[in-house]
Structures are given as C-alpha cells and as structure tokens.
Amino acid sequence: MFVGFLYDLRERGVKAGPAEGLAIAQALQLGLHKGRLDGFYEVARALCVHREQDLDAFDRAFAHHFRGVPDEALRLTEELLQWLKDPVAKRQLTDAERSSLEKLDLEEVRQRMRDRLAEQRERHDKGNKWIGTGGTAPHGSGGTNPNGVRLGEGPGGRGALASAGERRFKDLRSDVTLDTRQIELALRRLRAFVREGALDELDLPGTIAATSRNAGELELKLRPPRRSNLRVILLLDVGGSMDPHADVSGRLFSAAKRATHFKELRTYYFHNCVYGRVYERASLQQGLGLPQLLRECDPSWRLVVVGDASMSPWELQSSGSRWDWQDESGAPGIAWLMQLAQHFQRSAWLNPEPAAAWYGTAELIRRVFPMYRLTLDGLTEAIAQLVRGGGRR
Amino acid sequence: MTFRRFKGTQKYLTSTSLESAVNCALALERPLLVRGEPGTGKTQLAEAIAEDLGLRLIHWPVKSATRAQDGLYVYDTVQRLYDSRFGDGDVKDIRRYIKYGPLGESFAAAGRTLLLIDEVDKADLEFPNDLLHELDRMRFTVGETGDEIVARERPVVVITSNAEKELPDAFLRRCVFHFIEFPDRELMSRIVRVHHPELEQKLLDESLRSFYAIRDLDGLRKRPSTSELIDWIAVLKRAGIASVELEQGMPFLGALLKREQDLIAFAEATSRGRRPRA
C-alpha cells in the first residue's frame, strides 16, 4: 500500500523517492504519527511535499490510496520496514493460498489482462486485482501467482509466462522543457564583472604588499567592489505564430526579470518583425522608436531577440505593406534588423522552433543574427557568445 | 528515542499539522522549511519553538549579498593588521581573529541552540546549495587554522522562505516542509484574542469581516495578512474607534494596504459596490 502511494505521488508530479520513504519509515518508527491515520497524513505530507504547489497532488494521492482504511487496521510501520529491505517485497504464498488462486490457462489470462488494462487507469503495486508489481493477481510484473502473465523485465515470481512492454521510463522524457530555475541558472552566466564606484572594499593582497613595502607600517588599500556591469535588452515576438511558444518565452521573461545581476534590463515586444518601433507592453502599446532606443542604449548593451523568425517574405523585405501602419519610414524589416545587429556589439536570436524549421525568412535572419534554439543548450551557447569580449568597457 | 515535543506557546497558536511538522523536524534532526505568505508568522514560529523548548535563538537574517561563508566564520584581517601595527594582543594567535557567523556560532555553542535562517530566498540562487554540506554534517573546517568545528549538540534549524524564488531540489529534499496556510476566521479570532485580550467582541467581528472582505478583493498586489490585522486593530484601539464598516469608509486603511495601487484598487472596488444603491 505504501510503495504504491509513493509511486502515485511521483505520477502526480510530487518528487518523492527512496529518501522520503526512508524518512517516513524512520518517523513512524519513532511514533510520530501517534498510531493514527491523520497523524500519518501529517508526517507523510511534511516529508514528501517540498513545495506548496504539490500539496494538492499529495492530498489527491492520499485520498485515492487511503480512503476507507480503518485507523486500527493501519499497520504501516511493519510494511514500511519490510519495504526498506526490498523495494517491492514479495509475499511468500502458502500452499493453501497458492491453490486458492485461480488456475487459468494462458489465453484466458491474456484476455483478462487486456480487459483489466482497459479498466485500469493508474499505476498500481501489490494488491490482487489490478496490474502492477508485486501482487498476487495473475497479470503484472514480479508477482507470485503461479500462473501469471508477466509485463516488462525483472526477475519476478516463477509464474510469469509471457512478457509485454511496460514503458517504465517514459516519464523521464517530460523534463526536456526548460523550467524557470534552469533558466535562472543559465542566465547567471550572462554577466561581466567590472570594478567601479566608491572605494569600499579592502584590497587584502594590495594591503599586505603595500604594508610590506612600507616596512611593516600599516597601509590600507581599498578598491571598488566587483559588480556585474551587463545591460541587457530583451526583445520578445508576441502573437500569431509565437502563441504556441508563449509559455516558454514567458518563463524566460520572468527569469530575466527576477535575475538580480543585470545592471539594467529592458524588455520590449514586437510582432513578427521589428520595424520602426518596439513596444513596452505585450499588447503592443506604448511604442518606442527604434532610433531613440539606439540613442539610449550604447553598443555595449547585449541584445537578445526571442522569436520564431517566420513571417511572410514581404514582411521582411518589402518596404510598403506592413501591419504596423504607424511607421512611416518605409524601410523594410530586414533593414531595421540589420541596423540593430550592427549597433550592438553582441546579440543573439533565440528561436523556439527546432533548427530543421529554420528556412525561408529564418534563414535570412540567421545571416543577420547568430541564431540559437530556445532550449537549455541553445541558451547556454547563446550566453557564452554574448559574454565573449566587450565586457570591460 | 525520546525528544521534547513542541506544543505551541501562549503567544503562538499552532495547528496539529504545524506541530506535527515541527516534531518531525525535531525527531529526524532535519531542517524545517517554513513557507507562507508574508506576515503569517514564519519568523515567530522559530521564536515560539525556541521559547517552548528553552533553546537559545540565533537569528540569521539573509540578505541579497549574503554568502554561505558569512554564516560560518569571518577572518578579521583588518583587525589583525591593525594589532600587528599598534601591538595590541597576540598577533601570532590567528584564532583570535576568527569570528563565527550565525551558523558557526550555533555549532560552537555549549548547549543546543535554534538557528533561524530567515528568508533564505533573498540570497543568491546557489546559496541554499552552499549550505547543504554544513547542515548535513554539522561540521566545517576553518581554512586559516585547520580547526574543525563540530556541533556538540545538533542545533534545531528553521528556515523561512517567502516563495519568491524556487529553491533547489537537493536542498528541498533534506528539509521537512510546512506551508503556513492563511488562518480561517475562527483561528484568526483566536489569534487576535491572544494579542488583544480585552478587545470587544463587536469590534473584533466587524474588523474581521472588513479584513476578509479586503483580502477577497481582486487585483490587490499585496493582500493584508495577520500581522497587518493585528497592527490595524491596535491602531483602532488607540484611536478609540468602536465600530468599523466597510461601506462607511475604513479608518487607518494604510495599516492594511501599503501600496498605492492597492489603495486605488480598494477605492475603485468600494465605489463600484456603492453605485447600484445610489
């Protein structure tokens, strides 16, 4: 029951593992649950849940597993200690139990397994009905039914007659997307240190050297503290073809906003392609003319553009028809992009689309901006490129 | 194995789940990570545990520039250089110039202490990870002297976080977690009674009603919490106000809402509410 609960938690996104299981076992051994189910609930929650966002998932898993369990029948401690010896401890069946299990032929077992699989919605360990591990039902993995059908690998009970794929690791694939903390950590590398400002830090090696030169007469040397001196402009493409990527670019945006090591961060929005102006709001209001932006930000600012770089070719190259009718300069989009790329010493374009989809307008833009994928690797590469050189100005 | 259980104090009311989390942390000797809205008494919890168990409280307020090393010890080079020049004290003894930080102090203390690492999320992203080893092993080495400081009695560690930043998984895994939920009306009136025992029931009911109404307003940047309510009632008592009605205009609203945008949002919401009746 308990192991199944841990797996259920994991399936619902609560990161509970062996460490949590051991901690709970220890807590129960010390009697912290006071022998009651609600005591166990509180102990398990304090140890398995690590962030408030997971509390709800924990409650759902708990209700699912322990509904209808009478308090006095709860002998979790014993089961847990058993579990610690063997992740899925098998029950040894007595002869009586063995004979009491239904004797089924393989075809019948397979048919019932298919029916059960269709019924079953969740992962399951132990028990005598559902498909899972360590149970006595005739189908599942590592069970002890003498006539069972086995699913997946692993040395199990003797009764396993056949094997079917289990796909145990499919969940590991879910973490390929960037989470906010990963982005924050990657962004931390986007910095360039420089010493400037008031002299309020003791330069220890300098002081020792100066004192020695002074024949032991103390001479203090001070220096300005070392601070990151990087200014960043973030330009985000919004709307249209960027809508499917709104989530990941939103995460990048909030991580950049929270980063404390930028000397200055400006974020602007554009739609499809940058023309004469960029916007302070995602709703494309409060425009700022590009010439003014270039006046305000000297070339040492790092420019990061996030966009899928896909638009119709005329949006990029023709000088007349654009969605932004307020811009009257008549220059084509590519000219504005080139102006941006030439103004800033270091810039990068992050593209949420896979590299295979970088053709058409993306191919043209790639010639103007170094283009990277909006993944952890791409972001890391882009940042390495952005901090190279030009830091100490 | 026995340990003293935490049951709350006269000034600090707990719930069973909070007590259970604290006792888990005490028994398993793991740090207790407390999260919750600002003003729900995270820091006070540490004070209450220290009071209840009779431990000395060592407070480590974390700031944006705090490094893990600051918590262990600082080598006061300037003092040593100064002494070498002006001849006060024994300069050869480097130990005189090692000053323990809060973590080092809690290890080196003769008895058991309670170390409160307050607002851990304020510091750099790597800060919690840098503490892991010391909190796990309860020992560290002073690089300048080669001395190893080992905690004689494992301190009780309480860590608070405002949930502004995500903490690293490796850190979370080692902690007992508790999220302080916002108190419901019943618990809140008991909490207010603890702080204002002689408050009249009528004013208590009315102020709680207005308070929860304000909390339910949409679009507030910072919703008022327990500490604001307690301050606000203190102001009402001082001013001799016996009755508050949301519709009649709220006295001393600044004690509850501290942002200009929130005051504007409140004004808009109350004027909207009045318009249909007028």
Side-chain angles (χ1 to χ4, degrees):
Chain A
M1 182 192 281
F2 178 73
V3 180
F5 178 55
L6 275 188
Y7 279 113
D8 201 357
L9 282 178
R10 287 189 74 89
E11 250 169 46
R12 290 168 201 260
V14 182
K15 287 181 186 161
E20 283 77 8
L22 284 165
I24 294 178
Q26 204 187 343
L28 298 193
Q29 206 171 21
L30 293 167
L32 287 171
H33 63 309
K34 300 170 194 147
R36 294 201 317 265
L37 185 62
D38 51 352
F40 172 73
Y41 166 76
E42 277 157 6
V43 167
R45 195 177 66 173
L47 292 171
C48 287
V49 177
H50 302 301
R51 44 176 71 100
E52 57 272 25
Q53 293 88 333
D54 291 346
L55 286 170
D56 177 57
F58 178 87
D59 284 353
R60 278 186 286 124
F62 195 88
H64 172 246
H65 264 264
F66 297 99
R67 179 174 295 137
V69 177
D71 275 10
E72 61 277 9
L74 196 72
R75 291 266 177 270
L76 276 162
T77 317
E78 212 171 291
E79 193 193 328
L80 268 162
L81 294 177
Q82 184 73 32
W83 174 68
L84 292 174
K85 288 185 205 132
D86 177 352
V88 185
K90 284 192 288 288
R91 278 176 59 204
Q92 285 301 313
L93 297 184
T94 63
D95 283 349
E97 277 177 320
R98 200 174 271 273
S99 58
S100 76
L101 279 168
E102 312 147 80
K103 297 282 179 194
L104 305 158
D105 69 16
L106 180 59
E107 239 349 274
E108 201 182 333
V109 171
R110 281 200 171 134
Q111 184 51 46
R112 286 181 55 164
M113 185 176 91
R114 276 192 288 274
D115 296 348
R116 224 31 88 66
L117 269 176
E119 260 181 272
Q120 178 176 358
R121 286 283 172 272
E122 322 209 24
R123 195 197 152 93
H124 181 74
D125 273 331
K126 299 209 172 176
N128 57 18
K129 182 176 178 201
W130 298 115
I131 296 158
T133 57
T136 53
H139 16 59
S141 176
T144 45
N145 187 300
N147 237 341
V149 170
R150 178 158 130 225
L151 295 164
E153 293 300 310
R158 281 167 297 164
L161 289 173
S163 241
E166 214 189 358
R167 292 196 64 197
R168 271 174 58 201
F169 301 110
K170 64 173 190 284
D171 291 346
L172 294 182
R173 290 180 50 81
S174 68
D175 53 14
V176 289
T177 50
L178 281 166
D179 76 33
T180 316
R181 185 174 167 83
Q182 283 175 320
I183 301 177
E184 283 177 6
L185 282 172
L187 285 179
R188 272 168 46 87
R189 262 171 268 164
L190 186 50
R191 55 187 174 185
F193 285 110
V194 73
R195 290 192 182 279
E196 61 179 26
L199 301 170
D200 55 3
E201 191 182 281
L202 180 71
D203 176 8
L204 197 56
T207 302
I208 291 170
T211 305
S212 314
R213 261 198 306 277
N214 230 359
E217 285 284 312
L218 186 59
E219 188 173 334
L220 293 179
K221 288 275 174 209
L222 297 170
R223 63 184 175 190
R226 191 162 162 266
R227 285 204 193 96
S228 183
N229 186 33
L230 208 65
R231 295 176 161 94
V232 177
I233 303 180
L234 191 59
L235 285 182
L236 292 167
D237 185 358
V238 285
S241 56
M242 279 297 285
D243 280 343
H245 310 294
D247 189 40
V248 66
S249 47
R251 261 179 275 166
L252 176 70
F253 176 78
S254 58
K257 278 279 182 199
R258 271 189 291 188
T260 48
H261 59 275
F262 298 140
K263 183 133 186 187
E264 216 174 325
L265 172 74
R266 290 187 176 204
T267 48
Y268 296 104
Y269 297 91
F270 64 97
H271 180 60
N272 279 357
C273 185
V274 180
Y275 301 109
R277 53 182 63 227
V278 289
Y279 299 87
E280 279 175 34
R281 300 269 180 88
S283 51
L284 302 179
Q285 288 165 331
Q286 299 187 1
L288 177 72
L290 217 53
Q292 196 191 340
L293 180 73
L294 296 186
R295 268 200 303 280
E296 285 175 14
C297 305
D298 69 43
S300 71
W301 283 66
R302 304 301 200 271
L303 173 70
V304 180
V305 190
V306 181
D308 58 1
S310 74
M311 56 205 86
S312 53
W314 54 261
E315 279 185 292
L316 195 60
Q317 284 164 315
S318 118
S319 53
S321 47
R322 274 184 308 274
W323 70 272
D324 188 357
W325 45 268
Q326 286 178 306
D327 169 40
E328 280 149 15
S329 63
I334 191 80
W336 289 113
L337 291 180
M338 284 168 78
Q339 198 183 344
L340 276 174
Q342 278 163 10
H343 178 78
F344 295 106
Q345 289 175 323
R346 294 275 162 192
S347 54
W349 187 294
L350 294 171
N351 195 329
E353 295 284 346
W358 296 354
Y359 50 81
T361 47
E363 222 169 347
L364 283 174
I365 291 175
R366 253 179 109 175
R367 292 191 205 144
V368 180
F369 287 101
M371 194 175 280
Y372 303 90
R373 280 218 57 197
L374 185 50
T375 58
L376 196 55
D377 288 344
L379 186 62
T380 313
E381 271 177 57
I383 285 169
Q385 191 269 126
L386 285 171
V387 294
R388 215 174 291 143
R392 291 164 193 280
R393 289 168 54 95
Chain B
M1 196 186 127
T2 56
F3 65 97
R4 267 207 61 191
R5 282 173 194 263
F6 169 70
K7 291 210 171 56
T9 62
Q10 285 197 322
K11 274 269 175 192
Y12 194 89
L13 301 174
T14 63
S15 60
T16 51
S17 69
L18 176 54
E19 276 170 36
S20 181
V22 173
N23 288 326
C24 259
L26 290 174
L28 301 178
E29 302 186 321
R30 288 178 178 223
L32 175 68
L33 173 66
V34 195
R35 267 156 86 139
E37 268 182 55
T40 42
K42 296 185 290 291
T43 307
Q44 280 84 343
L45 170 66
E47 286 162 6
I49 299 172
E51 189 192 326
D52 190 31
L53 304 183
L55 305 175
R56 183 160 72 94
L57 177 75
I58 296 174
H59 188 187
W60 183 9
V62 175
K63 308 207 170 76
S64 61
T66 304
R67 295 170 309 143
Q69 179 65 39
D70 302 339
L72 300 175
Y73 69 92
V74 179
Y75 170 35
D76 193 349
T77 341
V78 181
Q79 182 68 47
R80 190 159 176 237
L81 279 169
Y82 180 90
D83 286 355
S84 75
R85 169 67 182 81
F86 299 104
D88 292 347
D90 184 7
V91 186
K92 283 199 197 91
D93 185 9
I94 203 166
R95 284 181 185 82
R96 289 178 34 134
Y97 302 99
I98 301 286
K99 306 247 156 65
Y100 292 131
L103 193 59
E105 198 185 330
S106 73
F107 286 4
R112 199 169 186 211
T113 53
L114 188 142
L115 174 67
L116 168 62
I117 306 178
D118 213 359
E119 305 195 62
V120 74
D121 53 318
K122 286 268 189 298
D124 189 80
L125 278 170
E126 293 293 346
F127 176 79
N129 279 336
D130 293 346
L131 285 178
L132 280 182
H133 183 77
E134 281 74 22
L135 287 178
D136 257 4
R137 294 297 170 87
M138 290 287 165
R139 62 178 62 202
F140 65 91
T141 307
V142 179
E144 281 76 8
T145 59
D147 290 351
E148 193 178 43
I149 311 295
V150 184
R152 266 170 273 186
E153 281 203 69
R154 226 180 149 88
V156 180
V157 182
V158 177
I159 301 165
T160 73
S161 161
N162 271 336
E164 274 177 14
K165 273 184 203 158
E166 284 203 27
L167 297 169
D169 279 344
F171 178 78
L172 291 172
R173 214 153 252 278
R174 286 168 168 84
C175 297
V176 175
F177 174 81
H178 185 76
F179 180 72
I180 299 192
E181 282 167 79
F182 198 79
D184 57 10
R185 259 166 214 249
E186 199 272 340
L187 180 60
M188 186 59 95
S189 61
R190 278 169 55 211
I191 293 173
V192 174
R193 278 262 167 258
V194 167
H195 292 269
H196 300 290
E198 71 294 353
L199 189 70
E200 279 181 40
Q201 190 63 39
K202 178 167 166 288
L203 183 57
L204 174 63
D205 291 343
E206 286 174 359
S207 55
L208 280 183
R209 199 182 316 124
S210 323
F211 173 74
Y212 279 97
I214 291 178
R215 266 186 68 84
D216 286 341
L217 285 182
D218 289 335
L220 287 190
R221 295 278 292 276
K222 162 79 180 80
R223 298 197 292 170
S225 60
T226 317
S227 62
E228 274 102 17
L229 175 67
I230 290 166
D231 289 351
W232 183 55
I233 291 177
V235 177
L236 294 179
K237 270 169 53 185
R238 278 280 176 83
I241 292 174
S243 164
V244 279
E245 289 278 347
L246 199 58
E247 290 77 19
Q248 307 300 319
M250 296 278 285
F252 305 110
L253 194 59
L256 290 175
L257 298 176
K258 309 204 169 150
R259 282 171 182 268
E260 206 184 330
Q261 299 103 303
D262 288 354
L263 288 168
I264 294 168
F266 173 79
E268 277 175 7
T270 45
S271 65
R272 256 204 313 278
R274 248 178 245 170
R275 211 167 285 145
R277 259 178 279 154

